[in-house]
Amino acid sequence: MPRQLFIGDIHGHYDGLRALWTLIDPAPEDQVYCVGDLIDRGPRSAEVVEFVRHHATGCVRGNHEQLLIDALSRGEGDLGGASLEGWLYSGGHATLKSYETSTERLEDDLHWIQQLPSYIDLGHLWLVHAGVNPTLPLAQQSPYEMCWIRDVFHGSQTPYFPDKLIITGHTITFTFPTIEPGQVVAGKGWLDIDTGVYHPRSGWLTALDWDNQLVYQVNVFSAQQRVRPCQEAITFLDPRLVRPRPRGVGGRLSRLSP
């Protein structure tokens, strides 16, 4: 039976992505989706984007893709605008360096990134980078909140969809109360698979096979690999433990937090 696989925030860690891809070993009929934040912080963002463009089934836009779009908003490949400093501070320097030999490649990837959807509806599963505002109907959700939201979504006591599981990245799982590095987090109707690949406390890059209830992981620092059943790899988060996080520069929703 074809698998649907979901890969967490990659953040420029191309070697980790290739190791994880080998571990999950997708067949031609399998579908592999990414939750966004392909770029920034890690050293090989350009190669990550190229690989995902040619091999993944789909990808949603993350807040780091949005930061890139905002930073280059004065023109294609033209660095400028008020958001440039924020993007560079959030890991954009590493992304620029990965493209330093080819401005044309950056412009081409920017066109592709601008077309990424805010969410992908797969029926029983619903893919989005950060989450949704639980107080608003789907038609009123903004792309901004789908890229940036955290606490209001994570602290909701009621699943947003009665019949869909929301799969997200964006918030590193060990930043939730009681969650250990490398664990996947489940809340009320959502699952977060951003296990902090770039962070020295973690290094784990995660792929989820929900239908077969398996979690695949590689560690970019230790080269450790593991495959665990979901019941072992996923920790449930009591939404009452969720606390507001500080807002980032310019009022972004925890923009500069992990």
Side-chain angles (χ1 to χ4, degrees), residues 165-183:
L165 176 68
I166 298 176
I167 298 176
T168 76
H170 185 53
T171 301
I172 295 178
T173 56
F174 73 71
T175 66
F176 290 106
T178 74
I179 306 301
E180 294 296 318
Q183 284 297 105

Side-chain angles (χ1 to χ4, degrees), residues 6-26 48 51 173 181-184 193-208 214-228 233:
F6 304 89
I7 296 178
D9 303 34
I10 301 166
H11 280 300
H13 282 276
Y14 177 72
D15 289 340
L17 172 61
R18 293 303 304 268
L20 184 64
W21 199 271
T22 299
L23 184 63
I24 64 177
D25 190 24
V48 169
F51 186 85
T173 56
Q183 284 297 105
V184 172
I193 60 173
D194 177 9
T195 44
V197 61
Y198 72 88
H199 201 287
R201 279 193 61 194
S202 177
W204 289 106
L205 178 62
T206 294
L208 170 71
L214 292 173
V215 171
Y216 298 79
Q217 295 181 308
V218 300
N219 193 292
V220 300
F221 302 132
S222 69
Q224 182 181 353
Q225 300 185 1
R226 61 190 185 188
V227 182
R228 297 187 290 166

Side-chain angles (χ1 to χ4, degrees), residues 51-198:
F51 186 85
V52 170
R53 285 185 67 173
H54 290 95
H55 296 279
T57 307
C59 179
V60 293
R61 182 186 299 186
N63 62 303
H64 282 263
E65 282 80 42
Q66 189 61 55
L67 284 171
L68 170 63
I69 292 169
D70 293 343
L72 302 183
S73 61
R74 290 203 316 184
E76 297 165 1
D78 177 22
L79 288 174
S83 298
L84 175 59
E85 182 180 353
W87 175 53
L88 295 177
Y89 184 86
S90 300
H93 281 293
T95 298
L96 280 181
K97 185 173 177 60
S98 73
Y99 282 101
E100 64 184 356
T101 60
S102 177
T103 303
E104 291 182 358
R105 183 181 185 185
L106 174 57
E107 293 179 356
D108 185 55
D109 283 348
L110 176 60
H111 281 298
W112 178 79
I113 288 170
Q114 289 171 326
Q115 305 306 312
L116 291 176
S118 297
Y119 67 88
I120 298 174
D121 188 345
L122 296 170
H124 65 299
L125 300 173
W126 202 82
L127 186 65
V128 67
H129 180 64
V132 292
N133 187 328
T135 68
L136 297 175
L138 185 57
Q140 295 180 22
Q141 299 288 335
S142 71
Y144 172 85
E145 286 189 298
M146 291 184 188
C147 282
W148 290 101
I149 201 167
R150 295 189 196 272
D151 313 318
V152 174
F153 170 66
H154 297 134
S156 177
Q157 299 278 346
T158 306
Y160 186 77
F161 295 113
D163 57 351
K164 300 176 189 287
L165 176 68
I166 298 176
I167 298 176
T168 76
H170 185 53
T171 301
I172 295 178
T173 56
F174 73 71
T175 66
F176 290 106
T178 74
I179 306 301
E180 294 296 318
Q183 284 297 105
V184 172
V185 173
K188 294 287 189 176
W190 57 266
L191 204 63
D192 180 357
I193 60 173
D194 177 9
T195 44
V197 61
Y198 72 88

